[in-house]
Amino acid sequence: MEQRPELTVEPVSPWARAQVMLPVFVPFALIGGLLPSFSLAANLYVLALGGGLMLAGLSSRLPRRAAPVALLPGVAWWLVPVGVFAIAEIVTFAMGSTHDYPTLSLLADPLLDGYLLRSMAYFGWLAGFWGLVRR
């Protein structure tokens, strides 16, 4: 099988991800945890961090990991609950997100009132987005 140089990717050390995530994302997550959940400041902070990560992903400076050629067969089973949650969120948002029909965001609001869980949610979001940026 012939290898084409434009499709080959250098293997990246697994520590490269942790070396970036811990010293960079932990302070961002701790700062994000200080913001009240679903406030204007928190939304602007998420947009700024997401925009920065998106620009980093669009640049050619980051080392990339090889993407799989085809999706694994078990991926469809993970997409089913994600699709159900997305449909539930869209329907309840369209109905007005009342206490009778709360969105998933409204249900998560009591959990995100605490600083520690909100900081952990920011860190999880940053780590997940970083994985997508590096693909």
Side-chain angles (χ1 to χ4, degrees), residues 35-61:
L35 302 172
S37 70
F38 305 113
S39 66
L40 178 63
N43 289 337
L44 292 176
Y45 189 70
V46 166
L47 286 174
L49 286 177
L53 284 172
M54 191 172 74
L55 286 175
L58 292 174
S59 75
S60 61
R61 294 179 183 226

Side-chain angles (χ1 to χ4, degrees), residues 40 94 112 129:
L40 178 63
L112 296 176
F129 202 9

Side-chain angles (χ1 to χ4, degrees), residues 23-94:
V24 175
F25 290 166
V26 167
F28 282 136
L30 293 175
I31 292 169
L34 293 172
L35 302 172
S37 70
F38 305 113
S39 66
L40 178 63
N43 289 337
L44 292 176
Y45 189 70
V46 166
L47 286 174
L49 286 177
L53 284 172
M54 191 172 74
L55 286 175
L58 292 174
S59 75
S60 61
R61 294 179 183 226
L62 289 177
R64 305 236 183 245
R65 292 184 307 192
V69 177
L71 293 178
L72 300 173
V75 170
W77 290 109
W78 284 100
L79 292 176
V80 169
V82 169
V84 168
F85 285 134
I87 290 171
E89 184 80 4
I90 291 168
V91 167
T92 54
F93 183 74

